[in-house]
Amino acid sequence: MRWTQTLIPTLKETPAEAEIASHKLLLRAGLVRKLSGGLYTFLPLGLRALRKVEQIVREEMNRAGALELLMPALQPPEIWEKSGRYVTASGVFFKVRDRARKEWILGPTHEEVITTLVAGEINSYRQMPKNFYQIQTKFRDEIRPRFGLMRAKEFIMKDAYSFDTTDELAQVSYQKMYDAYGRIFQRCGLKAIAVEADTGVMGGKHSHEFMVPAETGENEVVYCEGCNYSANLEKATSRGPAIATHKLAPPATAPHHPEKFATPGVVTIEALSKEPHNVTAERQIKTLVYMVDSKLVLLLLRGDDQLNEAKLVATVGSANFRPATAEEIVAALGARPGSLGAVHVTKIPIYADSLLSDATDMTTGANEDGFHYRNVSITRDIGVTHWVDLRSVQLGEACASCGKPLKIQRAIEVGHVFKLGTKYSENLNALFLDESGKQQPAVMGCYGIGVTRTMQAIIEQSHDKDGIIWPLSVAPYRVCITPLGVVPGSAVMTLAEKIYAELSEKGVDVILDDRDERPGVKFKDSELVGFPIRIGIGEKSLAKGEVEVKLRGGELLPTKIEEVVAKVLELAKQ
Ligand code: ATP
Ligand code: MG
C-alpha cells in the first residue's frame, strides 16, 4: 500500500474527548473516528489491525474444534421471555419496532438464539459435543459508554457456545476454550491473566475472566504471589483483615445487653469514629437497607468494609435490587439512614457478612434518630437470618489459601468463559436423547471475547510517548518504508520502490510512505502509528551503500542495501 492512496488521518493534538492513552492513540494514529458516543468507524488502518485480531481468534477457535456460523443481530423478544431474561437483561437492550409496531431486540449476546437453533437441529448424543462460534456485532445500551472501543454501544464480540451430554464433558469443552483463550491473547502480544469470576445474571455455575493488567482498567483483580490465587474483586475472598479487632474480648465492665446512648447529629461511620464517641470503624456495624425484588432486606457489614454488589447478586439470586429510599426506610425501621441497626428487628431478612460472625462489643444504630447502641454482641442481640459473604476484599488481607498478603491490580476484561449448566437448554428445549434413549437437557458453556476491546487493550498495554508499539502479529502493516524525498526516478525513490516491490512480492505487509513531507513528519507519523519495522532511505546513508532499519522503540540498524530485504524478511517473521 502507498500512504498517499489510503487514508491515515494522523493528528498532532489529542482530541479532548479521549481520557486514556489507547483511546487517544486510536484517534491520533488515524485508526478510528467517533460517530457518536460509543459508536466508531474503523478507518482502513484500524480495520486491518482488527481483522488480524479476528483472524487469530478464528484460527484458535477452529484449532480447538469450534464451528463458525453467523447468527442474526436482530432477535425476537419471545426467545428472551422463554429463557427468563427478558426482564433481567432488559437494562442493556436496544429495542426497535418494525412497520407492524412489533418489537425486536438488537442482540447484546446470543445464548437464546444458539439454544433455539440447537433445540431444532440436535437431538441425539451422537451429534455431540458441539461448539459453535461467531464473530459478530453486539449492541448494549451501556450506562456509561467510554474509553473509545473499551465500552461501546456497538462492538464486535467472538461468542462461542458449547453443548455437551454430561457435566464432565462440559468441563472438557470449557477447558479447551480456556486453553484457546490463553493462546489467542498470547498471539496478540497481550499479557492476560485468567481469574476466577462472578457469574452474575448469566446464572452460570463457574467462570473465569481473562484480564489485561492496566491502570485504566475498569475491573480490579485480587491476586496472591504466594500461591497463584487470583479472582475478580467481585468474587475474591480472603481470611479477612490482618487485625481482627472484633475478636477482642469485651471490657470486663460491659453489661450483658446493648446500651443505648445519644449521638445527636452523628450519621456516618466516620463521624462516630471521632470525638466525643471515638468508636473505630471496625467496631461499628454498618446497616444497609436494600429493596431486592420489591422486598426489603437488611445488610450488615463491618464499619470499615464496603458492600460488594456482585456478591449481593450471588447471595440473593437476583440483580433486581436498589438501595431503599429514605421514606421506605423510615416506614420500616422508624429512623432515618445514619441511625439504623438490626437490634430487635424481627420481620425483615437480615443478611450479615461472615466477618461479623463472632463480633462482640460493637456499636450500631438504634433505629431512633440521634441514638446508637453500644455493647452489641451480634449472635446474642441480632437475629441474623443469613450469614453470607458481602464484603470486598481489601489490599493486604491474608490469602484464603496460603495466608500471604493479597495484592490488587486494575485490569481490562478482554474475555470471559462460563459454565452455564442446563438453564438455557431447559428453558429453550435444547433436549437430546442419551444412549439409553432418555431425554436430557444439553449441558452448556459460553465463551466471549471482546474483539474490538482486545484491539484497544493491545494499544493500552503496548505504547510509549511517541505512539503505538504494535506487536508484529496484529500490526496494520509490519513494515513502513520511509524515503526521505519522493522525486520519481531519484536514487532514493528508485530504491524505495524496489524494496517495496520485493517485500510485497514475498508477501510482507508493507506500506510505502510516498508523501512529499519533511523527514520529521514522516518519522513522527510512523512512530505514532507504530509500524514494527521502518526502513529509512536517505541520500546520506545511500552514499555509504546503506539504508537504516529501525525496530519500533529500538535502535537504528545501518544495513547494506543488498542485505536489507533478507534482513527485514527475517525481522518481519513471526
Ligand atoms: P463488562 O463487565 O466489561 O461490562 P461483560 O462481563 O458484560 O463486560 P460479557 O457479556 O462477558 O461482558 O462479554 C464478553 C466480552 O465482550 C467481554 O469480556 C468484553 O471483552 C466484551 N465487552 C462487553 N461489553 C462490551 C462493551 N460495551 N464494549 C466493548 N466490549 C465489550
Ligand atoms: Mg464478563
Side-chain angles (χ1 to χ4, degrees):
M1 177 58 70
R2 288 163 195 274
W3 199 299
T4 54
Q5 284 170 15
T6 180
L7 177 70
I8 311 178
T10 56
L11 304 173
K12 280 204 196 71
E13 306 297 328
T14 302
E17 64 178 274
E19 293 166 61
I20 64 173
S22 53
H23 186 193
K24 290 177 188 166
L25 288 169
L26 277 171
L27 295 165
R28 284 194 56 214
L31 303 179
V32 306
R33 282 295 179 265
K34 176 167 133 181
L35 172 64
S36 177
L39 299 176
Y40 287 85
T41 297
F42 281 80
L43 299 178
L45 227 52
L47 186 62
R48 285 184 70 90
L50 179 67
R51 290 283 183 252
K52 291 192 174 183
V53 176
E54 277 180 15
Q55 191 52 26
I56 290 173
V57 171
R58 184 172 278 117
E59 284 171 19
E60 293 300 335
M61 294 308 288
N62 293 346
R63 173 134 82 117
L67 301 166
E68 185 167 7
L69 45 60
L70 186 59
M71 293 178 262
L74 208 57
Q75 304 185 11
E78 292 76 16
I79 55 176
W80 288 82
E81 271 156 15
K82 271 200 197 165
S83 73
R85 287 207 293 183
Y86 184 75
V87 175
T88 49
S90 65
V92 299
F93 288 157
F94 277 108
K95 294 177 179 173
V96 293
R97 289 193 183 275
D98 64 17
R99 63 187 68 231
R101 307 286 306 146
K102 180 183 156 35
E103 179 186 289
W104 299 85
I105 292 164
L106 285 169
T109 179
H110 278 70
E111 283 79 12
E112 281 75 2
V113 179
I114 194 74
T115 314
T116 304
L117 178 91
V118 166
E121 307 304 325
I122 292 185
N123 45 40
S124 158
Y125 72 95
R126 289 179 216 278
Q127 295 165 286
M128 292 199 269
K130 281 279 180 301
N131 186 346
F132 299 105
Y133 79 97
Q134 63 174 348
I135 297 177
Q136 194 233 23
T137 301
K138 301 281 186 263
F139 299 86
R140 293 189 182 180
D141 189 3
E142 296 282 356
I143 295 170
R144 229 182 130 198
R146 59 180 189 154
F147 298 162
L149 309 174
M150 289 288 189
R151 185 164 297 285
K153 288 184 173 135
E154 180 183 323
F155 61 96
I156 297 176
M157 196 201 284
K158 184 287 299 174
D159 43 330
Y161 307 89
S162 63
F163 295 83
D164 279 282
T165 51
T166 64
D167 274 340
E168 294 71 49
L169 290 169
Q171 171 61 29
V172 174
S173 298
Y174 183 87
Q175 189 62 40
K176 274 191 190 158
M177 288 295 102
Y178 183 101
D179 296 342
Y181 276 34
R183 285 196 297 272
I184 288 168
F185 296 122
Q186 191 188 14
R187 283 185 62 188
C188 286
L190 268 179
K191 286 185 208 77
I193 48 170
V195 307
E196 285 176 26
D198 175 62
T199 50
V201 291
M202 291 294 290
K205 291 179 172 171
H206 185 68
S207 87
H208 284 91
E209 282 167 346
F210 286 76
M211 295 285 196
V212 173
E215 273 320 299
T216 53
E218 292 186 285
N219 286 267
E220 286 180 277
V221 171
V222 177
Y223 65 98
C224 171
E225 284 171 341
C227 67
N228 281 337
Y229 169 76
S230 60
N232 190 323
L233 183 66
E234 294 182 342
K235 165 103 180 170
T237 54
S238 71
R239 287 187 192 165
I243 315 159
T245 32
H246 65 284
K247 285 194 174 144
L248 293 177
T253 53
H256 294 293
H257 55 80
E259 195 185 356
K260 198 188 280 183
F261 66 108
T263 50
V266 171
V267 291
T268 60
I269 301 276
E270 205 199 339
L272 196 59
S273 70
K274 294 203 171 122
E275 293 285 343
H277 307 293
N278 296 326
V279 183
T280 56
E282 69 246 30
R283 289 207 99 63
Q284 299 186 42
I285 300 173
K286 187 190 274 188
T287 309
L288 304 173
V289 190
Y290 268 66
M291 268 297 181
V292 179
D293 293 331
S294 322
K295 289 198 191 78
L296 278 188
V297 298
L298 294 192
L299 309 175
L300 308 187
L301 291 148
R302 225 172 72 167
D304 54 343
D305 271 334
Q306 299 302 323
L307 172 68
N308 184 321
E309 292 201 339
K311 290 185 178 177
L312 179 60
V313 175
T315 298
V316 298
S318 168
N320 182 20
F321 63 81
R322 59 170 173 80
T325 63
E327 294 74 49
E328 288 163 344
I329 293 173
V330 172
L333 296 174
R336 282 194 289 267
S339 303
L340 305 179
V343 177
H344 303 316
V345 172
T346 50
K347 298 212 173 73
I348 306 173
I350 300 173
Y351 290 81
D353 185 81
S354 341
L355 192 67
L356 290 169
S357 60
D358 49 4
T360 55
D361 190 21
M362 302 296 281
T363 296
T364 188
N367 287 338
E368 191 178 333
D369 288 343
F371 287 90
H372 279 77
Y373 280 125
R374 64 175 149 237
N375 187 35
V376 174
S377 167
I378 195 152
T379 42
R380 183 190 66 199
D381 303 320
I382 297 180
V384 174
T385 48
H386 304 80
W387 285 106
V388 290
D389 179 19
L390 286 178
R391 67 187 291 274
S392 288
V393 162
Q394 297 185 36
L395 181 71
E397 288 176 10
C399 170
S401 34
C402 79
K404 290 249 165 62
L406 291 170
K407 302 211 160 158
I408 301 185
Q409 155 87 59
R410 297 200 75 84
I412 302 162
E413 177 197 324
V414 285
H416 202 162
V417 292
F418 275 95
K419 280 189 216 165
L420 287 177
T422 54
K423 170 180 160 176
Y424 295 90
S425 45
E426 280 173 30
N427 290 348
L428 290 151
N429 256 338
L431 308 173
F432 68 97
L433 293 177
D434 68 12
E435 284 183 60
S436 62
K438 203 171 136 224
Q439 207 169 42
Q440 306 246 30
V443 187
M444 291 176 59
C446 75
Y447 318 94
I449 289 182
V451 181
T452 38
R453 187 186 283 183
T454 297
M455 173 182 151
Q456 188 173 338
I458 295 169
I459 301 175
E460 191 63 30
Q461 201 174 64
S462 184
H463 68 269
D464 63 13
K465 63 177 191 350
D466 299 319
I468 303 169
I469 306 176
W470 284 112
L472 274 174
S473 59
V474 289
Y477 292 96
R478 290 189 178 188
V479 182
C480 175
I481 303 174
T482 312
L484 310 178
V486 292
V487 180
S490 66
V492 166
M493 200 55 190
T494 306
L495 180 63
E497 292 280 4
K498 183 165 172 278
I499 297 173
Y500 175 61
E502 283 183 38
L503 288 174
S504 304
E505 169 74 13
K506 300 270 193 233
V508 177
D509 276 343
V510 51
I511 184 162
L512 173 63
D513 188 352
D514 56 346
R515 293 176 300 166
D516 188 10
E517 283 284 0
R518 282 179 292 116
V521 171
K522 289 186 164 195
F523 286 147
K524 270 214 166 67
D525 275 353
S526 90
E527 302 273 297
L528 174 60
V529 177
F531 301 113
I533 303 162
R534 186 178 74 208
I535 308 173
I537 308 176
E539 279 173 13
K540 260 201 209 143
S541 55
L542 267 197
K544 289 190 269 174
E546 286 177 348
V547 297
E548 285 172 341
V549 174
K550 185 174 180 297
L551 293 183
R552 176 69 178 84
E555 306 259 296
L556 276 184
L557 311 167
T559 306
K560 293 262 168 282
I561 291 171
E562 46 300 351
E563 287 165 13
V564 64
V565 169
K567 174 158 198 158
V568 168
L569 281 176
E570 188 56 34
L571 290 171
K573 246 194 353 218
Q574 191 50 20

